[in-house]
Amino acid sequence: MSRSYSIGVAERAVRFPPRARRLLLIGIDALLLPLAVWLSFWLRLAHPLHPSFQSAGLWLIPAVLLVGLPLYALTGQYKGLTRYVGSRALYRLAGRNGLLVLLLAGTGVMLRLPMPPRSSWILLWLLLTGFTGAVRFALRDLLLSLRSVSQKQMVRVAIYGAGEAGAQLTAALRLAGNHQIVAFLDDAPSLWRRTINGFPIQPPQVLSEIQEQLDQVLLTIPSLPRSERRRIVAELQRQAIPVLQIPSVDDLTSGRARIDALRPVAIEDLLGRDPVPPVPELLGPGLRDAVVCVTGAGGSIGSELCRQILQLFPKTLILLESSEPSLYAVEQELRQQLPASVTLLPVLGSAADPALVQRLFAGHGVQTVFHAAAYKHVPLVEANPLAGLANNVGSTRVVCQAAVATGVSELVLISTDKAVRPTNVMGASKRLAELVLQASALELSQSAEGLGQPRTRLAMVRFGNVLGSSGSVVPLFRKQIAAGGPITLTHPEIIRYFMTISEAAQLVLQASTLAQGGDLFLLDMGEPVRIKDLAEQMVRLGGLSLRDAQNPSGDIEIVCTGLRPGEKLYEELLIDAESESTQHPLIFRAQERALPPDVLWPRLDALDAAISAQDVDGALALLAELVPEWQRGDGTRQP
C-alpha cells in the first residue's frame, strides 16, 4: 500500500459524515444480532439447524432486530466516538445486551412462544457482547492506525517507567497516533519479561542494543526523587538519546497539565538534593492569622515567600515592592490562589522610604516582616555602588527602625553567601546590612532589659544561589543555548551551591520560628556544582552536542571570558564563627562579629551623607572601614 493511498484512506475515514457512520454501525449490528442468535443455538445444541432453532429461532431473529436496534439507539450506543472506545464502553455494551436478553426472554414468556434452552440465553448475551464489542474495538484500532499512517513521521520511543503513569502515557500516545512505542524500561527485575498493552518491559541495560531503533526516551516516573532522576538521566545521556519527561505530580493532579504534555528534562529537576519534609512545629507559628509584610515581594525569593505564606493562612499579606511590573505580576498570581480569609494588600514603594514603612507597619499592625528587598546582581551593583548601598543598607536600617518602633514581633533579613568575605560591592553591602540588623538587635536587647516590654526578634538567614532566580546562570545559559550559543563562562573552575526557590523559602519560614534575637541562620546548600559541568549538562539535556577541539562540528561552544570584577571562584556561608545545629537538619545557627550601635550609627549617617552627595569615593571608603573583609579594588581576588 503506497503512502499517498494510505493518507487518502485515512483522510476519507476521518471525514466520513457522522450520520453515515451511524448508519454503518446500525447495518453492522443488523447483521451481528441474527448471527449471535443462530450461533447461540448451534453452540448449545451442536447442530446448525436444530429443530429447536427452527421453532424458537423463527421469532427470536426478527425480535432481536425489532427490539435490539431501537434499544441500542435509545441508550446512546451510536452516539460515542469510535476512535475513543475504551473499557467503559464495553461495560455499557454488556449492560445493554443483558437488558436486550431480558426483554427477549420476557417477550417469549408473556406471549407463550417456543423458548430456547435456558443456557442459550447466557450464550446469546456473551455472543452479543463479544460481537458488538469486537467490532467497535476493531474499528477504533483501524481508525487509529489510519490516523498514524497519515502522520508525517512516527517518533520511535522507549518509555522509562512501567508504572501507572507509563501505562496512561501509552494510551495517550496511541490516541495521538504519532509515536511508535518500541519498549518499556524499568529497574525492577520483577517486571522484566512482562508486558504493558503488548509492549515488553526490559531492563535499562538493553538501551545500548536498541538505541538505533529509538528517537527519544520518555521518563514517566513523576514522583522520582531528584537524586534518582539525576542518575537515570546521566545513564541515558551516555547513550546520546534525547530525554523527555511527563509533568510533575502536582501539575497532573491539579489538572494544569495532561499526561502526554511531554517536556525536556530541565536542569532544575536534577540540581540540588531531594526535598526534606518541613518540621511541622516550625512551619506556621507566628504566621497563621497574623499581619505579614514581605519587602521585595516581586523578586524571586520575595514572591516565593508570598506563595508559601498564603498557604499558612495569614490574616493580611502586605506586598511591598518598588517595581510596578513586578508588583502587578505577583499580585495577579496570588489573587488566583487567595484564600477567602486572607486580605492581600499590594503597596508600590521603596523599603528605604522611612515615612512609608513607618506608616505601613503602624497603620496595619504588622506582626512579621520578611525583608527580601535588595539589589543582588553583582556587575550592576559594582557599576552603581551608591544605588546598591542606598537600597541594600538603607532599606535594612529603615525596616529595622520601623519594626522596633511599631512593635513588630519578628523581622527576618534575607542575606546571601556573598556577604561572607565579600569581593564585590554587592556582597559588602549585604554584609553591612547584616551588621545593621545585628546592631539593632543588640540595641534592642540593651534597652529592653528590666523593662518587661515585648521585644522584636530580629534574625537573618544566609544562603547561596537559588535556581531560576533572575540573573542566575541557569536562565542565562538557557537563553544562550536557545540562541545557538556560545555559552559564556567566566572561569572553568568556578563552583556554586544551588537550592530551589521553593526549598529556600520554606527553610526561611522555618528559620523564622527559631529566631531568638540577633540570630544568624545558615541553610545547608548541599553539594557544590561546577558551573562548567552545569553548562555541559544543559547542552546535552537540550539534545545538542558540545563544540570543542574533540568535536569541532558540535552545536554549542563554551567560551571562558575571565572572572568579572568582584567575582569569586567559590562562595562561603561563615566568616569566623562556628555553626550549631537546630531543630531542623538543614538549618544552622551561628554568632558572628557585630559592631556596637554607638559605633555603627554615626558611620551610617556619614554613609547616607556621602550617598546623598553622590560621593562614590567617600561612600566606598566608609564601606571598606565598616566591612574590613572587603577591600576596595580587590576586584577578582580569590578568597
Side-chain angles (χ1 to χ4, degrees):
M1 182 186 292
S2 68
R3 178 173 177 80
S4 60
Y5 177 77
S6 299
I7 294 174
V9 171
E11 290 177 348
R12 285 195 295 272
V14 170
R15 294 176 183 175
F16 208 49
R19 188 174 180 181
R21 292 186 206 177
R22 295 192 189 101
L23 290 175
L24 175 62
L25 290 174
I26 291 172
I28 293 173
D29 287 342
L31 295 174
L32 293 177
L33 292 176
L35 178 62
V37 171
W38 174 61
L39 279 177
S40 68
F41 281 89
W42 186 6
L43 293 173
R44 172 64 181 81
L45 303 171
H47 194 285
L49 296 174
H50 192 276
S52 179
F53 171 71
Q54 295 179 26
S55 60
L58 291 177
W59 73 267
L60 266 176
I61 288 179
V64 77
L65 290 171
L66 292 172
V67 177
L69 293 178
L71 176 66
Y72 286 171
L74 290 172
T75 55
Q77 182 152 313
Y78 302 117
K79 292 182 179 178
L81 292 174
T82 305
R83 78 185 68 171
Y84 300 126
V85 168
S87 58
R88 293 183 63 185
L90 181 61
Y91 300 147
R92 287 192 290 268
L93 277 173
R96 290 189 188 104
N97 290 318
L99 179 59
L100 173 58
V101 169
L102 289 175
L103 290 173
L104 292 173
T107 301
V109 169
M110 287 188 296
L111 299 179
R112 299 172 182 259
L113 298 172
M115 300 290 282
R118 281 176 292 183
S119 55
S120 293
W121 294 114
I122 298 175
L123 281 172
L124 178 59
W125 174 67
L126 292 173
L127 288 167
L128 287 172
T129 303
F131 283 166
T132 54
V135 165
R136 278 152 180 80
F137 280 105
L139 288 173
R140 179 201 67 179
D141 292 344
L142 176 62
L143 286 172
L144 290 177
S145 63
L146 289 174
R147 185 178 178 186
S148 298
V149 168
S150 69
Q151 299 293 325
K152 291 182 179 180
Q153 184 178 3
M154 296 288 285
V155 180
R156 303 168 301 170
V157 301
I159 295 180
Y160 200 119
E164 181 180 350
Q168 291 177 4
L169 180 62
T170 305
L173 294 182
R174 190 179 184 191
L175 287 175
N178 55 358
H179 287 76
Q180 177 188 346
I181 300 173
V182 176
F184 274 86
L185 305 174
D186 204 285
D187 292 316
S190 60
L191 298 176
W192 298 344
R193 293 180 296 278
R194 300 178 70 180
T195 63
I196 292 181
N197 292 330
F199 302 108
I201 304 173
Q202 303 181 52
Q205 290 75 16
V206 304
L207 263 178
S208 57
E209 303 170 14
I210 66 173
Q211 67 179 100
E212 296 300 325
Q213 307 172 34
L214 297 176
D215 298 313
Q216 295 173 348
V217 173
L218 309 181
L219 191 56
T220 60
I221 314 176
S223 58
L224 196 66
R226 188 174 282 113
S227 56
E228 188 67 11
R229 189 182 302 272
R230 189 161 50 236
R231 180 190 66 79
I232 291 174
V233 170
E235 291 178 1
L236 295 175
Q237 285 182 335
R238 280 196 287 270
Q239 306 292 336
I241 303 176
V243 183
L244 299 179
Q245 65 180 355
I246 62 173
S248 66
V249 173
D250 289 342
D251 287 340
L252 291 174
T253 55
S254 65
R256 290 192 296 267
R258 302 186 316 173
I259 189 74
D260 58 343
L262 300 168
R263 61 179 177 85
V265 178
I267 194 66
E268 291 89 344
D269 299 325
L270 306 178
L271 288 179
R273 56 174 162 255
D274 295 333
V276 175
V279 177
E281 57 267 26
L282 296 183
L283 196 59
L287 298 178
R288 188 177 297 274
D289 298 322
V291 180
V292 183
C293 176
V294 178
T295 72
S300 304
I301 291 294
S303 60
E304 182 61 26
L305 281 170
C306 292
R307 294 183 195 102
Q308 296 197 23
I309 290 170
L310 271 192
Q311 298 173 14
L312 300 174
F313 301 99
K315 177 183 177 183
T316 303
L317 177 58
I318 300 173
L319 317 175
L320 180 58
E321 173 59 57
S322 60
S323 167
E324 182 191 29
S326 298
L327 181 61
Y328 176 80
V330 71
E331 182 203 6
Q332 293 301 306
E333 177 190 345
L334 295 177
R335 288 208 181 277
Q336 294 180 2
Q337 51 185 300
L338 187 67
S341 61
V342 179
T343 300
L344 192 66
L345 179 63
V347 178
L348 185 61
S350 172
D353 183 341
L356 170 65
V357 175
Q358 179 80 17
R359 177 179 59 83
L360 196 63
F361 288 3
H364 295 279
V366 172
Q367 295 163 273
T368 302
V369 178
F370 292 94
H371 181 41
Y375 291 154
K376 62 179 183 178
H377 298 132
V378 170
L380 285 178
V381 175
E382 202 72 17
N384 302 274
L386 296 182
L389 288 167
N391 191 53
N392 296 357
V393 181
S395 68
T396 304
R397 188 180 188 187
V398 166
V399 169
C400 285
Q401 289 175 341
V404 172
T406 59
V408 167
S409 300
E410 184 175 35
L411 166 64
V412 179
L413 167 69
I414 307 300
S415 191
T416 170
D417 56 2
K418 293 177 175 60
V420 180
R421 279 184 274 276
T423 59
N424 50 67
V425 175
M426 193 283 286
S429 70
K430 291 297 288 183
R431 177 55 189 149
L432 185 50
E434 292 181 352
L435 292 172
V436 169
L437 183 134
Q438 289 174 311
S440 299
L442 181 60
E443 184 177 59
L444 185 63
S445 66
Q446 293 171 349
S447 63
E449 286 181 4
L451 298 180
Q453 62 186 24
R455 287 182 51 193
T456 300
R457 290 179 293 135
L458 300 116
M460 51 191 177
V461 182
R462 187 189 286 167
F463 53 91
N465 296 276
V466 175
L467 281 171
S469 63
S470 62
S472 69
V473 294
V474 171
L476 174 62
F477 287 174
R478 188 173 286 129
K479 183 177 179 181
Q480 291 175 335
I481 291 171
I487 293 177
T488 54
L489 185 67
T490 58
H491 194 285
E493 298 304 321
I494 198 166
I495 63 172
R496 290 291 182 266
Y497 294 87
F498 288 97
M499 178 182 287
T500 64
I501 293 179
S502 60
E503 183 182 19
Q506 188 182 83
L507 289 174
V508 167
L509 295 180
Q510 294 176 88
S512 67
T513 307
L514 298 169
Q516 299 171 352
D519 310 79
L520 166 62
F521 292 108
L522 315 172
L523 305 186
D524 182 346
M525 297 297 296
E527 295 298 320
V529 176
R530 188 168 171 256
I531 301 300
K532 187 172 186 292
D533 295 340
L534 169 66
E536 292 174 352
Q537 190 169 33
M538 289 184 67
V539 171
R540 290 192 293 269
L541 286 174
L544 303 172
S545 60
L546 286 167
R547 186 191 310 156
D548 52 23
Q550 289 73 35
N551 184 23
S553 60
D555 302 305
I556 304 293
E557 181 183 11
I558 296 178
V559 176
C560 292
T561 59
L563 288 172
R564 298 173 299 185
E567 187 174 29
K568 294 181 181 180
L569 281 183
Y570 61 91
E571 305 287 1
E572 308 163 275
L573 285 174
L574 280 173
I575 300 175
D576 53 8
E578 293 184 358
S579 61
E580 60 183 39
S581 60
T582 66
Q583 289 174 250
H584 196 290
L586 301 183
I587 301 175
F588 298 86
R589 178 187 278 109
Q591 294 289 337
E592 287 191 341
R593 178 188 62 85
L595 291 176
D598 57 347
V599 173
L600 182 59
W601 300 151
R603 309 310 294 155
L604 284 186
D605 292 337
L607 180 63
D608 289 342
I611 293 172
S612 298
Q614 292 293 297
D615 181 2
V616 175
D617 291 333
L620 293 181
L622 285 165
L623 181 63
E625 177 187 337
L626 294 170
V627 186
E629 311 95 81
W630 173 78
Q631 294 298 321
R632 184 181 178 187
D634 61 359
T636 60
R637 72 173 176 85
Q638 300 176 22

